[in-house]
Each structure stands twice: as structure tokens, then as C-alpha cells.
């Protein structure tokens, strides 16, 4: 009997030991997995490091590349394109004009009424719709027929259009892609960006395609101005505030334009404008510098994109790509750590995690990160993610967005440096003069600036860090909405065929 009791006791002890050993083993394994999660996070943090020192190097590189792009055609990855816009709207424009805006994700039709007096009297109606995915890779005829039909429907809703005489219908066309302009109303597409790829269009006159589609739809309208979205944004910014000298778009794609002295545009000798200035479309999305903090995720994203080696800056900053960088980090984290076991194939699908979803996770302020859990489950099919891991996902979104906003800030300061508005223009003979820093407004537009609060906060923070507070207080970022479209209508008004174009070549 005694022996039997001892035997049972020994048996129980052995079981207890095994259970404990299994538990310890499990804990160790889970600790090992967790360590691997943290290691991936630390690597991303290091790779995306954007100290103020590094940002200042990016500022200098941007200013140097701007000079190079203005000096000769192909002299830099920055195309520094002429826009033939030399007088920005000032509030005296009058009449009713239409605008079409083909951006990266949405298409907009607008009608703008200009009263010719004060900026506050500007009214507009707008209709937005997503661009059908298939049209982005179809034919130019399909794309422009869609645009012309949308405009036609918009006009038909006006009724008989009696308030507008038909022969004065002019429009501004915002085409948010790189275009080599020959005049303010003509230009050829250089290259598609943002996932568009309609091969028959590259090298073709853009307003010509639109004009043909308008004729096919029986619309008698004239394209008075062809503008990049940054140029439209600058035009509206300047209309409201004449201290506006540059504009930046951070939406699906990213870009900037600014007012440059024509004598600084060396690649185009003999250019004369009445104002002595011209708006230059930088196409900064294609900027590249070895100082940019690039990670293996950026390299993979680029090599798998339809335009490898192009738009490097854009791929680190804009809405089309940020969500996908985050997706790639989460994928590697889960694969390398095996922390939640097998993962759904959804996580391997490029662009499945769109930036608005990513910003919703980033800005989730619920204590248990409910929105993060929902998006991981609904979009990426990763159910029941522990809170600790959800926090890591938020951190990844933070790292990627912070880098993007800080790089955009460095780009802005690069422009300010080029035009002598970064506060360093006062240094003469090695001594800082007392020259007064001019109030400088930069119009900003695009989903990341208007709808992503943390992106905007990081942008301001970096601007202050790079410039220092004394200088930064003179630099105002003004967020505009629909500026790219309204600005195109304003430019159509100031470049209407009823006015004289005053750009000349000697
Ligand atoms: C285009 C630019 C455009 C920017 C913002 C870029 O992909 O190349 O022309 O201004 O996106 O929409």
C-alpha cells in the first residue's frame, strides 16, 4: 500500500515537472518570437531614421538638384518643367469657367464663378468620382471618353446653360502627371506615374486628346490652360494670399512647384515674361539623393513597381505607397517571428493595405486599439491579434509616416533655400545680416495633408526643427481644398483666349 502511494506521488511529480517544462519552453519560445518581432521593429526604426542633421543634408541635395535641373535638360532627376504660367491670379478674374482634374485616384469636374472683386466672392461646384481602375491601363481614347462624358453630364445638369454663352465655355485641365509644356495650353505627357500605364499616350499632346474626346461627345469647349495639380494649388493659394510662392501636393503622389526668376532658368535661354518669373513644376517625386533614409522595404517596393528606379522620393512619401511599406514590414515581422502561426495570403497582396486604412490604425485612440484589430482582421485576415502586437503595428505606421512627413518638410526647405527664403540668404561675407525674413506662404494639398492629422503635425514639427523657430514662424503652410481644380479654372480665366499671352522667346 505504502509503495503504491509513493508510486502515485512520484508519477504526479513527474507529470507536474513535464507540464512546468512545457510551460517554460512555451514561454521561452514565445519570448524568442517576441524578440524577433522587436528586432524587425528596431531595424525599421533605424532604417527610417531622419535626424535633423540628415534632413539638412536632404535640404542641400534638393537645392543642388534644383539648380542642376534648371541648368540643362536631363541635368538632374528633378525635371524642373516650364509651365508658361508667369502671372498668378490676383482676384480680378471674372466669368464662369470649368475645370477638370485628373489626379491619382479621383476625377473631379468643377465650375467656378469668378466675380472679379474679392477672393471671398469665389464660388464653385464640384463633382468627384473615383477613376475606374481599368481605365488606368486601358487606351487614351477610353480614358478621355470617360472624362468628356463626365463633363457632359455635369453640364447637362446645369439646365439650358442660359447664364453662360456657349461660345465662351473655356476650361482649365489639371493633369497630375509630368508634362513637357510648349505653352500654357499645350504639352506632351512625359511618363505616367501612380500606377497609370496607357502606353499609347506617352509623348502625345494631352489637351489634344481631351479636345478630340470633347468633339466626339459634341461639346464645344476649349482647353485654355493645362496645369499640373501643384500649379493649380499655387494659383488658388496666390489668389487668396499674394505671399504664396510655392505649393506642395502630398496625395496619391507627391510633387511641388514654385515661382522662379526666369533668368535662373538657364536651360531656356531667352525666355522673357512680363513678370520676370515663371512657375516651375519640379516633379519632386522623382528626386533622389544618397542621403535619403532607404530601407530594404523601399528597395523591394521599387523593384516590384511598374516604374522601377523612378519616383524614388514619391515612393517614400505619398499615399499610394505608405500603406504598402507598412504591409511589407508586418509581413516580414510575422514571417520571421511566427508569432501568430500561419498567416493569410492577403498580407502578401501588394497595395491591399491602403494608406487611409493605415492612417486609421495609426490614429486609433481606443484603449484596446479596436480599429487596429478590425483592420487587421477585415483587410489582412489576421484575426485575434494580441494587444501587444497591435501596439507594434501602430508603431510601424508611426515610423513610416513620420519619415514621410519629415522628408516632405526637408523638400519644402530645399525650395525655400533655392529662392533665398530659408533665412540663410541674410548671410553675407560670413556674417548674418539683419535682413528681415519675408512672410512666405506655401500652399499644401492632398489627402495626407488634409486628412492625416499626425502627418501634418510631423510636417510642421520637422519644418520648425530644420529652420529653427525664429525663421519657421515666417513660413506658413496653408492647406487648400480643391485648389488644384479651382486654380486651373482661375488660370483658364487669366489665360482665356480673350486675353493676351505674354511669354516670349527672344
Ligand atoms: C506626378 C505629379 C503630380 C503628383 C501629385 C506625381 O506622381 O508625377 O505630376 O503633381 O503626383 O499628384
Amino acid at each position: 500500500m505504502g509503495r503504491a502511494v509513493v508510486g502515485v506521488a512520484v508519477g504526479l511529480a513527474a507529470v507536474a515537472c513535464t507540464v512546468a517544462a512545457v510551460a517554460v519552453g512555451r514561454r521561452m519560445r514565445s519570448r524568442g518570437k517576441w524578440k524577433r518581432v522587436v528586432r524587425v521593429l528596431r531595424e525599421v526604426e533605424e532604417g527610417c531614421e531622419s535626424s535633423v542633421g540628415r534632413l539638412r543634408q536632404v535640404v542641400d541635395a534638393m537645392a543642388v538638384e534644383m539648380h542642376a535641373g534648371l541648368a540643362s535638360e536631363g541635368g538632374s532627376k528633378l525635371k524642373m518643367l516650364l509651365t508658361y504660367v508667369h502671372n498668378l491670379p490676383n482676384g480680378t478674374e471674372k466669368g464662369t469657367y470649368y475645370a477638370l482634374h485628373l489626379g491619382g485616384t479621383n476625377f473631379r469636374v468643377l465650375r467656378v464663378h469668378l466675380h472679379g472683386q474679392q477672393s471671398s466672392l469665389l464660388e464653385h461646384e464640384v463633382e468627384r468620382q473615383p477613376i475606374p481602375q481599368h481605365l488606368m491601363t486601358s487606351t487614351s481614347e477610353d480614358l478621355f471618353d470617360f472624362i468628356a462624358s463626365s463633363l457632359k453630364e455635369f453640364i447637362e445638369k446645369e439646365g439650358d446653360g442660359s447664364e453662360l454663352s456657349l461660345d465662351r465655355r473655356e476650361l482649365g485641365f489639371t493633369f497630375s502627371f509630368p508634362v513637357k509644356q510648349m505653352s500654357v495650353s499645350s504639352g506632351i505627357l512625359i511618363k505616367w506615374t501612380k500606377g497609370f500605364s496607357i502606353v499609347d499616350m506617352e509623348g502625345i499632346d494631352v489637351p489634344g486628346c481631351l479636345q478630340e474626346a470633347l468633339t466626339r461627345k459634341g461639346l464645344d469647349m476649349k482647353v485654355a490652360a493645362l496645369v499640373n495639380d501643384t500649379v493649380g494649388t499655387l494659383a488658388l493659394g496666390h489668389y487668396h494670399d499674394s505671399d504664396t510662392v510655392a505649393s506642395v501636393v502630398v496625395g496619391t503622389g507627391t510633387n511641388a512647384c514654385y515661382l522662379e526668376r526666369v533668368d535662373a532658368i538657364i536651360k531656356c535661354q531667352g525666355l522673357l515674361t512680363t513678370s520676370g518669373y515663371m512657375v516651375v513644376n519640379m516633379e519632386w517625386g522623382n528626386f533622389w539623393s544618397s542621403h535619403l533614409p532607404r530601407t530594404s522595404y523601399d528597395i523591394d517596393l521599387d523593384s516590384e513597381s511598374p516604374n522601377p528606379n523612378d519616383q524614388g522620393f514619391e515612393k517614400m512619401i505619398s499615399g499610394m505607397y505608405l500603406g504598402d511599406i507598412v504591409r511589407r514590414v508586418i509581413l516580414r515581422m510575422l514571417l520571421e517571428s511566427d508569432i501568430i502561426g500561419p498567416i493569410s495570403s492577403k498580407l502578401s497582396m501588394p497595395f491591399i493595405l491602403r494608406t487611409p486604412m493605415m492612417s486609421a490604425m495609426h490614429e486609433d485612440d481606443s484603449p484596446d486599439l479596436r480599429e487596429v484589430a478590425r483592420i487587421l482582421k477585415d483587410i489582412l485576415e489576421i484575426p485575434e491579434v494580441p494587444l501587444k502586437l497591435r501596439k507594434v503595428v501602430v508603431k510601424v505606421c508611426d515610423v513610416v509616416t513620420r519619415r514621410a512627413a519629415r522628408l516632405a518638410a526637408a523638400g519644402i526647405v530645399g525650395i525655400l533655400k533655392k529662392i533665398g527664403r530659408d533665412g540663410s540668404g541674410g548671410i553675407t561675407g560670413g556674417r548674418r545680416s539683419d535682413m528681415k525674413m519675408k512672410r512666405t506662404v506655401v500652399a499644401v494639398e492632398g489627402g495626407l495633408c488634409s486628412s492625416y492629422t499626425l502627418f501634418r503635425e510631423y510636417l510642421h514639427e520637422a519644418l520648425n526643427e530644420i529652420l529653427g523657430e525664429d525663421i519657421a514662424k515666417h513660413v506658413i503652410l496653408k492647406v487648400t481644398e480643391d485648389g488644384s481644380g479651382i486654380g486651373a479654372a482661375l488660370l483658364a480665366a487669366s489665360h482665356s483666349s480673350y486675353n493676351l499671352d505674354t511669354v516670349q522667346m527672344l
Side-chain angles (χ1 to χ4, degrees):
M1 182 69 180
R3 267 204 196 161
V5 171
V6 171
V8 170
V10 168
L12 284 176
V15 170
C17 280
T18 313
V19 170
V22 168
V24 169
R26 223 181 256 155
R27 216 173 307 137
M28 298 267 288
R29 265 200 306 282
S30 118
R31 232 179 256 158
K33 289 177 182 183
W34 185 249
K35 264 194 191 153
R36 274 173 265 155
V37 167
V38 174
R39 195 184 59 218
V40 175
L41 178 62
R42 295 283 166 263
E43 277 168 11
V44 188
E45 283 176 326
E46 276 163 33
C48 291
E49 188 269 332
S50 55
S51 64
V52 69
R54 187 188 274 246
L55 292 181
R56 290 210 175 103
Q57 290 174 317
V58 175
V59 168
D60 292 345
M62 181 66 82
V64 166
E65 292 300 314
M66 289 173 78
H67 277 282
L70 289 173
S72 63
E73 208 67 71
S76 162
K77 287 208 92 169
L78 282 184
K79 294 188 185 73
M80 306 298 285
L81 301 168
L82 270 62
T83 63
Y84 295 89
V85 172
H86 50 92
N87 280 320
L88 288 167
N90 55 18
T92 57
E93 295 74 16
K94 251 185 171 168
T96 296
Y97 290 85
Y98 292 84
L100 301 174
H101 179 189
L102 184 72
T105 316
N106 291 310
F107 172 69
R108 299 182 184 90
V109 188
L110 302 93
R111 183 177 36 239
V112 181
H113 309 283
L114 305 166
H115 300 281
Q117 296 163 26
Q118 284 167 0
S119 49
S120 56
L121 290 179
L122 186 151
E123 296 161 29
H124 76 283
E125 296 106 55
V126 59
E127 219 168 78
R128 299 182 175 81
Q129 50 183 312
I131 303 164
Q133 189 79 29
H134 71 275
L135 292 183
M136 296 182 181
T137 50
S138 175
T139 62
S140 55
E141 207 172 297
D142 288 348
L143 179 66
F144 282 91
D145 276 348
F146 160 77
I147 294 174
S149 306
S150 309
L151 175 62
K152 192 171 182 186
E153 277 168 33
F154 184 83
I155 291 176
E156 279 166 0
K157 284 191 208 143
E158 285 174 352
D160 62 0
S162 48
E163 94 263 24
L164 203 62
S165 91
L166 280 173
D167 58 347
R168 286 215 57 160
R169 279 184 173 161
E170 287 184 302
L171 59 87
F173 183 24
T174 309
F175 186 71
S176 311
F177 301 92
V179 166
K180 182 174 170 51
Q181 297 209 222
M182 273 73 76
S183 71
V184 79
S185 58
S186 65
I188 55 169
L189 170 66
I190 301 174
K191 224 172 185 186
W192 287 108
T193 56
K194 298 178 282 201
F196 276 71
S197 173
I198 303 172
V199 264
D200 71 344
M201 249 214 85
E202 291 182 354
I204 301 287
D205 182 57
V206 177
C209 291
L210 177 60
Q211 210 72 66
E212 281 168 21
L214 294 177
T215 310
R216 282 197 293 276
K217 299 287 164 200
L219 285 175
D220 185 16
M221 289 180 100
K222 192 169 166 290
V223 181
L226 169 71
V227 300
N228 186 261
D229 50 354
T230 54
V231 180
T233 302
L234 177 59
L236 183 68
H238 195 270
Y239 181 85
H240 286 308
D241 186 333
S242 59
D243 287 338
T244 311
V245 293
S247 86
V248 171
V249 170
V250 193
T252 307
T254 186
N255 189 13
C257 76
Y258 71 107
L259 264 177
E260 181 58 280
R261 291 190 340 265
V262 284
D263 58 8
I265 310 177
I266 298 169
K267 66 181 171 186
C268 203
Q269 292 280 333
L271 193 65
L272 262 192
T273 65
T274 45
S275 66
Y277 285 86
M278 182 176 286
V279 176
V280 172
N281 167 14
M282 294 173 60
E283 285 297 330
W284 87 0
N286 203 36
F287 167 69
W288 189 251
S289 155
S290 57
H291 298 298
L292 291 173
R294 199 179 198 209
T295 65
S296 58
Y297 305 101
D298 301 304
I299 295 171
D300 293 348
L301 182 147
D302 179 54
S303 66
E304 291 164 28
S305 72
N307 53 350
N309 297 318
D310 275 339
Q311 302 295 106
F313 199 48
E314 174 161 280
K315 287 171 183 161
M316 297 171 111
I317 292 183
S318 77
M320 172 146 182
Y321 303 100
L322 296 192
D324 205 53
I325 301 175
V326 168
R327 176 194 69 83
R328 286 167 187 272
V329 178
I330 301 176
L331 177 63
R332 182 173 301 169
M333 216 170 232
L334 299 188
L335 283 178
E336 285 193 8
S337 69
D338 189 32
I339 197 150
I340 55 162
I343 42 177
S344 134
S345 59
K346 275 279 163 68
L347 194 52
S348 305
M349 284 173 70
F351 298 107
I352 182 112
L353 183 65
R354 291 177 43 253
T355 300
M357 294 290 131
M358 169 209 164
S359 74
M361 294 203 287
H362 191 189
E363 299 189 322
D364 182 359
D365 56 5
S366 64
D368 54 347
L369 298 176
R370 225 166 306 139
E371 188 61 5
V372 178
R374 187 192 68 75
I375 291 169
L376 290 175
K377 179 166 168 278
D378 293 356
I379 309 290
L380 300 178
E381 291 181 356
I382 319 174
E384 287 156 35
V385 175
L387 184 58
K388 206 161 138 189
L389 192 55
R390 278 180 245 162
K391 286 186 183 161
V392 171
V393 169
V394 174
K395 184 67 193 163
V396 173
C397 299
D398 188 67
V399 170
V400 172
T401 295
R402 185 166 178 273
R403 177 185 69 164
R406 289 174 75 79
L407 290 179
I412 293 174
V413 182
I415 301 175
L416 299 182
K417 188 177 176 99
K418 169 71 184 69
I419 58 175
R421 299 276 188 117
D422 66 332
S424 64
I427 298 175
T428 38
R431 281 210 342 238
R432 184 178 277 271
S433 78
D434 289 335
M435 201 179 81
K436 226 175 141 245
M437 171 79 190
K438 280 195 201 146
R439 181 175 177 272
T440 299
V441 180
V442 178
V444 292
E445 191 158 304
L448 274 85
C449 299
S450 59
S451 323
Y452 198 162
T453 312
L454 288 170
F455 180 90
R456 224 173 28 236
E457 282 176 13
Y458 283 140
L459 184 68
H460 279 109
E461 187 181 79
L463 214 58
N464 279 337
E465 278 178 39
I466 307 171
L467 288 171
E469 280 187 10
D470 281 352
I471 302 295
K473 69 179 180 226
H474 298 283
V475 177
I476 295 129
L477 301 186
K478 270 199 187 170
V479 180
T480 61
E481 209 185 320
D482 279 328
S484 29
I486 301 172
L490 285 167
L491 288 168
S494 52
H495 292 86
S496 152
S497 47
Y498 304 96
N499 300 331
L500 267 184
D501 198 355
T502 46
V503 177
Q504 291 171 16
M505 299 288 290
L506 280 181

